[in-house]
Amino acid sequence: MTDPWDGPGSQATRSRTDRVPGQRGALPDGTRPTGGRAAARQAAKGRGGRGSRRAKTAGRGKRVLKILGLCTAVLVLVTAGAGWWFYQHLNGNINSVSLDGKGGTEKADAFGRTPINILVIGSDARTSKTDCKLGGGCKTTGVQTGYGNADVEMVVHIAADRSNATVMSIPRDTMVDVPACKDSNSGQSTPGYYGQVNSALEYGPSCQVATIHQLTGIPIDHFVKLDFSGVVKMSDAVGGVSVCVNNNVYDTYSHLKLSKGTHTLKGEAALEFVRSRHGFGDGSDLGRTVSQHIFLSAMIRKFKSAGTLTDPAAVYSLADAATKALTVDDGLGSVKKLISLAADVNKVSTKRMTFTTMQTAPDPNNSNRVVVGSGAKDLFATMANDQSLTTSSGKKSSAAAATAKPTPTATVPASQIAVTVENGTDITGRASAIANSLISQGFSTGTSTANAPSSATTTALTYGSGDKAEAQTVAKALDIPGSHVKAGSGTGVTLVIGSDWTSGTSYPASSGDTKAAVSNANASTADDSKTCAKVSQYKTVSLNGIAMTPSQAYAAATNKPDSDK
């Protein structure tokens, strides 16, 4: 029988008839047993005890490995549990509301990609003690109910190919037609009226979205709403936002007080900056939109900085703050969906993000209000038709085109595609011009021309069964948007030139003129870190009952500390 203590390579086996330790047979006096533990101990002594030490070391090693294994298993379980808890915690933070289909539907391009359009809403509601403290105005009303007014409204457009983005502010003082709405949560409803654009939020976020969609013609897929405390949480989560002012400023209404130069704003100071409408520009909401663009550009640069997104503590703080601060539509109502949106935004370079303010004109009936101005329709059209405002042509930038990933379905070589081009206009030679352009780009010499059966007002590219990839290749070559590409009943690929394409060999991106779109729109890009917010030179504030400029108020308010102190 092999003793179980002989070494790690042995195996302890006993038959049912073997004696177990403690059941020794009779032995002569002075005779030691020749097997079992005694023999092992005796043998160890004869070797100077080294076997014993080896045995003890091996035993300890096994115990250590077992403990390490248990600790590792526990750590994995705890980490996984914490991750799941964190994920559920973040999901639980999010408050979502249905859009009820009021924002329209975005159309895919020729490659099945769709732009993203989000309405960002900054609410003035004081629905908590924190918001009452931050915003003031609750002394007589107390904590309020409802959604409040949309004092900040920005339409964020992310291109279908994710190569560029446009952020358009709509001044809160704009007079518009508000459509008939009913909030599914509160039951508040309106048959529709003519009024200030920010008032539509009183009937729910979906009504605000419907109002902006009706005004601009831009399909609005999603909305994101923040209140006062949300701005504070977000600015704190990123460790503050760096902004610059070109002069000393004290807005006695928002309480922003800063000296000339660059400042890192957190918490209430950040809120004071984005709320200030008397401190910048002409003291109206128009000047405020520009300073908000400066703030948001700086925040986006901070988001994209390596230090923010690679620091686990910063990411946790940011995710927790964002989910607590936001009210979103159902389409963004989970951590997974918000992460996907963040990834789409992150694909766009800051130099390809354009910030603009909708052009306005004075309201002839009210000097304190504005109406939609000249150029605004071009700005709306460029966004609705997925045009870039970072290139003069309105098309995707060459840099973005060079880095864009090819669409897997558009793999049919142009040389294998013959297109039937039909002229649906009254302009002679239009079909031939387009056909020759295709052939010069490498399409099959079998490309042919004909007159369309009838006049066409809209250009259409149709394809037969199994020919979708061919049509996508043609659309890409001619810059034809996806809304003009559809399945047909015939075979092959047929292009009918409509009266919306009367010249040139590339389809006109839209009726929107990109130069007109940015004219008087205070356009800037998110990579601009040198522009300072321009302090108002008008007497837009009041201190001790005396009207003065924000810089004069700064000099006079010696007892009030600066906002960033």
Side-chain angles (χ1 to χ4, degrees), residues 63 81 111 131 151 174 189 222 240 255 260 303 313 340 365 383 458 465:
R63 286 195 296 274
F111 306 104
D131 285 332
D151 276 3
T174 307
S189 65
H222 305 289
H255 307 297
K260 178 181 179 179
F303 281 155
S340 177
N365 300 313
M383 296 174 70
T458 304
S465 176

Side-chain angles (χ1 to χ4, degrees), residues 284-357:
S284 73
D285 201 45
L286 300 177
R288 178 166 63 174
T289 62
V290 177
S291 59
Q292 287 171 349
H293 294 165
I294 292 172
F295 182 89
L296 287 175
S297 294
M299 181 174 274
I300 289 170
R301 293 194 298 271
K302 189 72 176 284
F303 281 155
K304 285 176 168 283
S305 68
T308 300
L309 298 179
T310 59
D311 180 355
V315 170
Y316 172 87
S317 178
L318 181 60
D320 195 42
T323 51
K324 285 178 179 176
L326 305 177
T327 297
V328 299
D329 64 282
D330 291 343
L332 295 176
S334 72
V335 173
K336 183 178 180 180
K337 292 173 181 177
L338 286 173
I339 289 173
S340 177
L341 173 62
D344 282 325
V345 174
N346 196 47
K347 292 175 185 176
V348 184
S349 165
T350 53
K351 66 176 64 176
R352 303 297 176 195
M353 293 184 182
T354 304
F355 284 85
T356 68
T357 300

Side-chain angles (χ1 to χ4, degrees), residues 99-104 180-183 205-207 209-211 213-214 220:
L99 271 183
D100 299 324
K102 296 293 182 64
C181 295
K182 182 176 181 179
D183 179 37
S206 65
C207 187
V209 166
T211 300
H213 173 54
Q214 177 176 278
I220 308 293

Side-chain angles (χ1 to χ4, degrees), residues 75-436:
L75 183 62
V76 168
L77 288 173
V78 169
T79 303
W84 176 248
W85 172 86
F86 181 49
Y87 183 82
Q88 292 296 91
H89 169 72
L90 294 180
N91 270 330
N93 286 344
I94 300 172
N95 181 31
S96 62
V97 177
S98 174
L99 271 183
D100 299 324
K102 296 293 182 64
T105 303
E106 187 62 73
K107 295 179 180 178
D109 67 6
F111 306 104
R113 305 168 301 189
T114 54
I116 300 173
N117 294 303
I118 308 165
L119 180 62
V120 177
I121 302 170
S123 169
D124 70 353
R126 278 82 162 167
T127 56
S128 69
K129 290 183 179 179
T130 300
D131 285 332
C132 277
K133 181 180 178 182
L134 292 170
C138 295
K139 288 184 178 180
T140 57
T141 63
V143 176
Q144 302 164 9
T145 58
Y147 295 103
N149 293 309
D151 276 3
V152 176
E153 293 179 85
M154 297 181 183
V155 179
V156 179
H157 170 80
I158 305 170
D161 62 7
R162 308 300 186 256
S163 69
N164 63 86
T166 300
V167 180
M168 175 184 66
S169 288
I170 298 175
R172 73 166 198 176
D173 298 329
T174 307
M175 299 299 289
V176 300
D177 288 312
V178 176
C181 295
K182 182 176 181 179
D183 179 37
S184 56
N185 288 339
S186 67
Q188 281 269 87
S189 65
T190 174
Y193 61 92
Y194 181 74
Q196 206 168 316
V197 67
N198 65 339
S199 66
L201 186 59
E202 294 178 19
Y203 304 97
S206 65
C207 187
Q208 192 67 62
V209 166
T211 300
I212 300 303
H213 173 54
Q214 177 176 278
L215 172 68
T216 65
I218 301 169
I220 308 293
D221 312 299
H222 305 289
F223 81 87
V224 172
K225 184 175 76 70
L226 294 92
D227 51 21
F228 295 144
S229 57
V231 175
V232 171
K233 289 173 184 175
M234 292 295 288
S235 62
D236 282 345
V238 297
V241 178
S242 179
V243 298
C244 170
V245 292
N246 75 336
N247 207 342
N248 297 337
V249 57
Y250 178 31
D251 180 348
T252 57
Y253 298 96
S254 77
H255 307 297
L256 176 73
K257 186 170 186 278
L258 294 173
S259 61
K260 178 181 179 179
T262 301
H263 304 267
T264 298
L265 304 183
K266 297 181 181 180
E268 290 188 42
L271 177 63
E272 290 169 357
F273 185 88
V274 298
R275 287 191 70 201
S276 178
R277 61 177 291 167
H278 297 89
F280 304 112
D282 61 359
S284 73
D285 201 45
L286 300 177
R288 178 166 63 174
T289 62
V290 177
S291 59
Q292 287 171 349
H293 294 165
I294 292 172
F295 182 89
L296 287 175
S297 294
M299 181 174 274
I300 289 170
R301 293 194 298 271
K302 189 72 176 284
F303 281 155
K304 285 176 168 283
S305 68
T308 300
L309 298 179
T310 59
D311 180 355
V315 170
Y316 172 87
S317 178
L318 181 60
D320 195 42
T323 51
K324 285 178 179 176
L326 305 177
T327 297
V328 299
D329 64 282
D330 291 343
L332 295 176
S334 72
V335 173
K336 183 178 180 180
K337 292 173 181 177
L338 286 173
I339 289 173
S340 177
L341 173 62
D344 282 325
V345 174
N346 196 47
K347 292 175 185 176
V348 184
S349 165
T350 53
K351 66 176 64 176
R352 303 297 176 195
M353 293 184 182
T354 304
F355 284 85
T356 68
T357 300
M358 182 193 79
Q359 297 91 333
T360 60
D363 183 349
N365 300 313
N366 188 336
S367 60
N368 293 318
R369 299 290 179 262
V370 295
V371 294
V372 176
S374 175
K377 290 185 178 179
D378 289 291
L379 180 55
F380 300 158
T382 58
M383 296 174 70
N385 288 281
D386 202 22
Q387 290 177 255
S388 170
L389 294 181
T390 58
T391 58
S392 58
S393 65
K395 298 178 183 178
K396 183 171 62 176
S397 68
S398 58
T403 58
K405 294 181 179 179
T407 304
T409 56
T411 56
V412 180
S415 60
Q416 297 179 17
I417 304 172
V419 185
T420 300
V421 183
E422 298 181 352
N423 186 2
T425 74
D426 57 2
I427 301 173
T428 303
R430 285 299 294 143
S432 296
I434 303 302
N436 289 335

